[in-house]
Structure formats: structure tokens, C-alpha cells
Amino acid sequence: MKRAVLFDIGDTLILTHPKLWLEPFLAERNLPADWSRLKEAARAAFATYQQRHLTATTLEEALAIWYAFDRALLEGLGVPEAEKVAQELVRQWDNPAIWPLAPHAREVLEALRYRGYRLGVVSNWDGLLPHILRVLGLAEHFDTLAVSALVGVAKPDPRIFKAALEALAVPPEAATHVGDSLEADIQAAQALGLGTVWVDHYGQHREALGDLRGVLERVA
């Protein structure tokens, strides 16, 4: 029987915390930011994104949503000329520094491919994601991409998992899903009968895996 491993992207394979990608970007340009306001700024920016990302199926639509996200985040941090800075961030969407990989992400994918697993993405993201994965050199590792904006439903809706499993021709009991969200990734996948690996790169949950290399042991 074929076996598969499905991956979430945000904060599973790509780290989204603004301190990891936005702070270096601003520092290079000597732009100040009030990082004490990060929690509220990030909440507002991500809320804007979540409300609109399912409608962004094309590259142009996706970049418009990322502009709104970036501008909300920058304004929330008190960055001067947030509109211009957001425009520059969008122009640099294909800069890998904007999408930092989680430690060991590439080697884990390579190892799983070497072992013969079929790999897929199940991610709540807009239509830019396939382009981002190509920029990062990760696209070649995946046999299918179930991206919420392109599938039309978002996790924890079971249909997005089913879309990936059907594309891989793998039953739920032969698949494992790796993700960072307890509700959208772990509980949703378990409800369908998939194995799961809970990942937490920020050390907030002791029960979760802090190092992606542990995935290789969990699915062995």
C-alpha cells in the first residue's frame, strides 16, 4: 500500500513570525518599529488575511491580499510610510528571505521522498503558495498541493484533506498529517482517520514536536 505524508505550510515548513522575516527587512532599511505592539498588529493583519484569502486564486489577487496584510502589520507596528514599505514587500514576494524555512524542512522532505512516501500539502493559503514553493525549491518534493484558495475550502473542513488523499490515491489510514494547529491540523486530520504529528517551532506546547526531524521517527 502506498503511504503518504501531508504537510501544513505556515509555521510548519515556513516560519511566519514577523520577527524572523520582517525585522531583518526593516533593519536593512533602518526603519523603526514598535515591537511591543506586535501581538495586536499581527492579530489584525492575520484577521484581514483570513477574511479574504479564499478569494485569491490568481497571482495578482494574492499579491493584493498580501499588500493589505503587510500594510496592516506595518501600520500596527508604527513603521513610517507603511504604504510604501508594504508595496516594496509585495514587489519582493519572490525573495526567499521573506519566507524563512523551518529548520531541517528541506532535509526532512528529501528523506521522506527517499523512503518512498508520497508527499502532499494541505494548507490554508492563497493562490501564491505554489509560486512560493517553487521559489524555495520545495515544489519538486510534493505530488499534490491542496491549497485552500484553490480547493475552495479551508481547514478544518475535511474536504481539503480528502482532496489531497484522492489526488495521492492513498486512504486516510495510510497517511500522516504534519501541522502546527491543534484544531485545524491535528484534530481535523484525526477525525478523518489520519495519523498526525503536531509541530511547534516556538516552544509553546510541550506535547508538540519542536524539531521537524522527529517527523522521520513518527512516520517510520
Side-chain angles (χ1 to χ4, degrees), residues 129-158:
L129 184 57
H131 304 281
I132 293 170
L133 295 177
R134 284 195 290 272
V135 166
L136 296 176
L138 297 185
E140 63 192 41
H141 296 298
F142 295 109
D143 300 292
T144 191
L145 304 178
V147 181
S148 57
L150 304 180
V151 175
V153 292
K155 297 180 294 185
D157 192 309

Side-chain angles (χ1 to χ4, degrees), residues 144-187:
T144 191
L145 304 178
V147 181
S148 57
L150 304 180
V151 175
V153 292
K155 297 180 294 185
D157 192 309
R159 288 176 290 177
I160 191 170
F161 291 95
K162 291 177 180 178
L165 293 173
E166 290 173 5
L168 296 172
V170 171
E173 60 270 20
T176 298
H177 179 64
V178 183
D180 72 299
S181 170
L182 181 59
E183 178 184 3
D185 289 308
I186 305 308
Q187 294 174 350

Side-chain angles (χ1 to χ4, degrees), residues 36-168:
S36 69
R37 295 160 54 180
L38 176 58
K39 187 174 182 179
E40 292 182 1
R43 184 185 296 115
F46 278 105
T48 297
Y49 181 85
Q50 292 298 332
Q51 291 169 2
R52 298 175 54 189
H53 87 278
L54 281 175
T55 67
T57 60
T58 68
L59 179 63
E60 293 74 18
E61 291 167 341
L63 291 178
I65 287 180
W66 279 108
Y67 168 74
F69 171 90
D70 292 334
R71 184 170 180 178
L73 182 59
L74 292 164
E75 289 177 345
L77 293 172
V79 176
E81 299 187 25
E83 180 179 357
K84 291 183 179 179
V85 180
Q87 290 171 349
E88 184 178 358
L89 276 166
V90 168
R91 285 195 297 269
Q92 294 202 33
W93 73 265
D94 56 353
N95 179 354
I98 303 296
W99 316 103
L101 285 180
H104 313 295
R106 198 181 307 278
E107 67 185 84
V108 167
L109 295 175
E110 291 172 351
L112 290 170
R113 293 290 290 186
Y114 180 78
R115 294 181 185 183
Y117 286 93
R118 306 206 73 194
L119 302 183
V121 164
V122 178
S123 183
N124 288 354
W125 207 292
D126 55 84
L128 188 62
L129 184 57
H131 304 281
I132 293 170
L133 295 177
R134 284 195 290 272
V135 166
L136 296 176
L138 297 185
E140 63 192 41
H141 296 298
F142 295 109
D143 300 292
T144 191
L145 304 178
V147 181
S148 57
L150 304 180
V151 175
V153 292
K155 297 180 294 185
D157 192 309
R159 288 176 290 177
I160 191 170
F161 291 95
K162 291 177 180 178
L165 293 173
E166 290 173 5
L168 296 172

Side-chain angles (χ1 to χ4, degrees), residues 3-16:
R3 297 192 63 82
V5 182
L6 307 177
F7 283 89
D8 171 54
I9 295 297
D11 285 328
T12 299
L13 294 181
I14 294 176
L15 301 179
T16 67

